Coordinates of all heavy atoms in Angstrom, one line a residue:
Chain A
L361 N -0.8 25.4 9.2 CA 0.0 25.9 10.4 C -0.4 25.1 11.6 O 0.5 24.7 12.3 CB -0.4 27.4 10.6 CG 0.7 28.3 11.2 CD1 1.9 28.4 10.3 CD2 0.1 29.7 11.5
A362 N -1.7 24.8 11.7 CA -2.2 23.9 12.8 C -1.5 22.6 12.8 O -1.1 22.0 13.8 CB -3.7 23.8 12.7
V363 N -1.4 22.0 11.5 CA -0.8 20.6 11.4 C 0.7 20.8 11.8 O 1.2 19.9 12.4 CB -0.9 20.1 9.9 CG1 -0.2 18.9 9.8 CG2 -2.4 19.9 9.6
L364 N 1.3 21.9 11.3 CA 2.7 22.0 11.7 C 2.9 22.0 13.2 O 3.8 21.4 13.8 CB 3.2 23.3 11.1 CG 4.7 23.6 11.2 CD1 5.5 22.6 10.3 CD2 5.0 25.1 10.9
V365 N 2.0 22.9 13.9 CA 2.1 22.9 15.4 C 2.0 21.4 15.9 O 2.7 21.0 16.8 CB 1.0 23.8 16.0 CG1 0.8 23.7 17.4 CG2 1.3 25.2 15.6
S366 N 1.0 20.8 15.4 CA 0.7 19.4 15.9 C 1.9 18.4 15.6 O 2.3 17.6 16.5 CB -0.5 18.9 15.3 OG -0.5 17.5 14.8
V367 N 2.6 18.6 14.5 CA 3.8 17.8 14.2 C 4.9 18.1 15.2 O 5.5 17.2 15.8 CB 4.2 17.9 12.7 CG1 5.5 17.2 12.4 CG2 3.2 17.4 11.7
V368 N 5.2 19.3 15.2 CA 6.3 19.7 16.1 C 6.1 19.4 17.6 O 7.0 18.8 18.1 CB 6.5 21.3 16.0 CG1 7.5 21.8 17.0 CG2 7.0 21.7 14.5
L369 N 4.8 19.5 18.0 CA 4.4 19.3 19.3 C 4.6 17.7 19.6 O 5.2 17.3 20.6 CB 3.0 19.6 19.5 CG 2.6 20.0 21.0 CD1 3.3 21.2 21.3 CD2 1.1 20.2 21.0
S370 N 4.1 16.9 18.7 CA 4.1 15.5 19.0 C 5.5 14.9 18.9 O 5.8 13.8 19.5 CB 3.3 14.8 17.9 OG 3.9 14.8 16.6
R371 N 6.5 15.6 18.3 CA 7.9 15.0 18.2 C 8.7 15.6 19.3 O 9.8 15.3 19.5 CB 8.5 15.3 16.9 CG 7.8 14.5 15.8 CD 8.5 14.7 14.5 NE 7.7 13.9 13.5 CZ 7.7 14.1 12.2 NH1 8.6 15.0 11.8 NH2 7.0 13.4 11.4
S372 N 8.2 16.7 20.0 CA 9.0 17.2 21.1 C 9.0 16.4 22.3 O 8.2 15.4 22.5 CB 8.4 18.6 21.5 OG 7.1 18.4 22.1
R373 N 9.8 16.6 23.3 CA 9.8 15.9 24.6 C 8.5 16.0 25.2 O 8.0 15.0 25.7 CB 10.9 16.6 25.5 CG 11.0 15.9 26.8 CD 12.2 16.3 27.6 NE 12.1 15.8 28.8 CZ 11.7 16.4 30.0 NH1 11.3 17.6 29.9 NH2 11.6 15.8 31.1
F374 N 7.8 17.2 25.2 CA 6.5 17.4 25.6 C 5.5 16.4 25.1 O 4.7 15.7 25.8 CB 6.1 18.8 25.5 CG 4.6 19.1 25.7 CD1 4.2 19.4 27.0 CD2 3.7 19.0 24.7 CE1 2.9 19.6 27.3 CE2 2.4 19.3 25.0 CZ 1.9 19.6 26.3
G375 N 5.5 16.4 23.7 CA 4.6 15.5 23.0 C 4.9 14.0 23.3 O 3.9 13.3 23.4
L376 N 6.1 13.7 23.4 CA 6.4 12.2 23.6 C 5.9 11.9 25.0 O 5.4 10.8 25.2 CB 8.0 12.0 23.5 CG 8.5 12.3 22.1 CD1 10.0 12.2 22.1 CD2 7.9 11.2 21.1
A377 N 6.2 12.7 26.0 CA 5.8 12.5 27.3 C 4.2 12.3 27.4 O 3.6 11.5 28.1 CB 6.2 13.6 28.3
L378 N 3.5 13.2 26.6 CA 2.1 13.2 26.5 C 1.6 11.8 26.0 O 0.7 11.2 26.5 CB 1.7 14.3 25.6 CG 0.1 14.5 25.4 CD1 -0.4 15.0 26.8 CD2 -0.2 15.5 24.4
Q379 N 2.2 11.3 25.0 CA 1.9 10.0 24.4 C 2.2 8.9 25.4 O 1.5 7.9 25.6 CB 2.6 9.7 23.1 CG 2.1 10.7 22.0 CD 3.0 10.7 20.8 OE1 3.1 9.7 20.1 NE2 3.7 11.8 20.6
G380 N 3.3 9.2 26.2 CA 3.7 8.2 27.3 C 2.6 8.2 28.4 O 2.3 7.0 28.8
A381 N 2.1 9.3 28.7 CA 1.2 9.4 29.8 C -0.2 8.7 29.4 O -0.9 8.2 30.3 CB 0.9 10.9 30.1
R382 N -0.4 8.7 28.1 CA -1.7 8.0 27.6 C -1.6 6.5 28.0 O -2.5 5.9 28.3 CB -1.8 8.2 26.2 CG -3.1 7.6 25.6 CD -3.1 7.8 24.1 NE -1.9 7.2 23.5 CZ -1.6 7.2 22.3 NH1 -2.3 8.0 21.4 NH2 -0.6 6.7 21.8
Q383 N -0.3 6.0 27.9 CA -0.1 4.5 28.2 C 0.0 4.3 29.7 O -0.6 3.3 30.2 CB 1.1 4.1 27.4 CG 1.0 2.6 27.2 CD 2.4 2.0 26.7 OE1 3.4 2.8 26.6 NE2 2.4 0.8 26.6
N384 N 0.8 5.1 30.4 CA 1.0 4.8 31.8 C 1.5 6.1 32.5 O 2.6 6.7 32.3 CB 2.2 3.7 32.0 CG 2.2 3.2 33.4 OD1 2.2 4.0 34.3 ND2 2.2 1.9 33.6
V385 N 0.6 6.5 33.4 CA 0.9 7.7 34.2 C 2.0 7.6 35.1 O 2.8 8.5 35.2 CB -0.5 8.1 34.8 CG1 -0.2 9.3 35.7 CG2 -1.5 8.6 33.8
E386 N 2.1 6.5 35.8 CA 3.1 6.4 36.8 C 4.5 6.4 36.2 O 5.4 6.9 36.9 CB 2.8 5.1 37.6 CG 2.0 5.4 38.8 CD 2.0 4.3 39.9 OE1 2.8 3.3 39.8 OE2 1.3 4.6 40.9
R387 N 4.7 5.8 35.1 CA 5.9 5.8 34.4 C 6.3 7.2 34.1 O 7.6 7.6 34.0 CB 6.0 5.0 33.2 CG 6.5 3.5 33.5 CD 6.2 2.6 32.4 NE 5.3 1.6 32.8 CZ 4.5 0.9 31.9 NH1 4.6 1.1 30.7 NH2 3.8 -0.1 32.5
V388 N 5.4 8.1 33.7 CA 5.7 9.4 33.4 C 6.1 10.2 34.6 O 7.1 11.0 34.6 CB 4.5 10.1 32.7 CG1 4.7 11.6 32.6 CG2 4.2 9.5 31.3
R389 N 5.5 9.9 35.7 CA 5.8 10.5 37.0 C 7.2 10.1 37.4 O 8.0 10.9 37.8 CB 5.0 10.1 38.1 CG 3.5 10.8 38.0 CD 2.9 10.8 39.4 NE 1.5 11.3 39.3 CZ 0.4 10.5 39.2 NH1 0.6 9.2 39.3 NH2 -0.7 10.9 39.0
A390 N 7.6 8.8 37.1 CA 8.8 8.3 37.5 C 10.0 9.0 36.7 O 11.2 8.9 37.2 CB 8.9 6.8 37.2
V391 N 9.7 9.6 35.6 CA 10.8 10.4 35.0 C 10.7 11.8 35.2 O 11.3 12.7 34.6 CB 10.9 10.1 33.4 CG1 11.2 8.7 33.2 CG2 9.6 10.5 32.7
G392 N 9.9 12.2 36.2 CA 9.9 13.6 36.7 C 8.9 14.5 36.1 O 9.2 15.7 36.1
I393 N 8.0 13.9 35.4 CA 7.0 14.9 34.8 C 5.7 14.8 35.4 O 5.2 13.7 35.8 CB 6.8 14.4 33.3 CG1 8.2 14.7 32.5 CG2 5.8 15.3 32.6 CD1 8.3 14.0 31.2
D394 N 4.9 15.9 35.7 CA 3.7 15.9 36.3 C 2.6 15.7 35.1 O 2.4 16.6 34.3 CB 3.5 17.3 36.9 CG 2.1 17.4 37.6 OD1 1.3 16.4 37.6 OD2 1.8 18.5 38.2
P395 N 1.9 14.6 35.1 CA 1.0 14.3 34.1 C -0.1 15.2 34.0 O -0.6 15.5 32.9 CB 0.5 12.9 34.4 CG 0.9 12.5 35.7 CD 2.1 13.4 36.1
Y396 N -0.5 15.7 35.1 CA -1.7 16.7 35.1 C -1.3 18.0 34.4 O -2.1 18.4 33.6 CB -2.0 17.0 36.6 CG -3.1 18.1 36.7 CD1 -4.5 17.8 36.5 CD2 -2.8 19.4 37.1 CE1 -5.4 18.7 36.7 CE2 -3.8 20.4 37.2 CZ -5.1 20.1 36.9 OH -6.1 21.0 37.1
R397 N -0.1 18.5 34.6 CA 0.3 19.8 33.9 C 0.4 19.5 32.5 O 0.1 20.3 31.6 CB 1.5 20.4 34.6 CG 1.2 21.5 35.5 CD 2.4 22.1 36.0 NE 3.3 22.7 35.0 CZ 4.5 23.2 35.3 NH1 5.0 23.3 36.6 NH2 5.3 23.7 34.4
L398 N 1.0 18.4 32.2 CA 1.3 18.0 30.8 C 0.0 18.0 30.0 O -0.1 18.5 28.9 CB 1.9 16.5 30.9 CG 2.5 15.9 29.6 CD1 3.7 16.5 29.2 CD2 2.7 14.4 29.9
R399 N -1.0 17.3 30.6 CA -2.3 17.2 29.9 C -3.0 18.5 29.8 O -3.7 18.8 28.9 CB -3.2 16.2 30.7 CG -2.6 14.8 30.4 CD -3.3 13.8 31.3 NE -3.1 12.5 30.8 CZ -3.4 11.4 31.5 NH1 -3.8 11.5 32.8 NH2 -3.1 10.2 31.1
L400 N -2.8 19.3 30.9 CA -3.5 20.6 30.8 C -3.0 21.4 29.7 O -3.7 22.2 29.0 CB -3.4 21.3 32.3 CG -4.1 22.6 32.4 CD1 -5.7 22.4 32.2 CD2 -4.0 23.1 33.8
V401 N -1.7 21.5 29.6 CA -1.0 22.3 28.6 C -1.5 21.9 27.1 O -1.9 22.6 26.3 CB 0.5 22.3 28.6 CG1 1.1 23.0 27.4 CG2 0.9 23.0 29.9
A402 N -1.6 20.5 27.0 CA -2.0 19.9 25.7 C -3.4 20.3 25.5 O -3.9 20.6 24.3 CB -1.8 18.4 25.8

Side-chain angles (χ1 to χ4, degrees):
Chain A
L361 212 62
V363 174
L364 185 72
V365 168
S366 137
V367 170
V368 170
L369 208 65
S370 71
R371 292 184 184 161
S372 67
R373 178 170 175 260
F374 169 84
L376 295 172
L378 183 67
Q379 293 167 70
R382 186 183 55 189
Q383 207 195 355
N384 190 311
V385 170
E386 272 197 356
R387 265 169 243 157
V388 168
R389 284 201 190 100
V391 295
I393 298 168
D394 180 4
Y396 176 78
R397 258 183 62 181
L398 189 74
R399 287 171 165 165
L400 186 56
V401 171

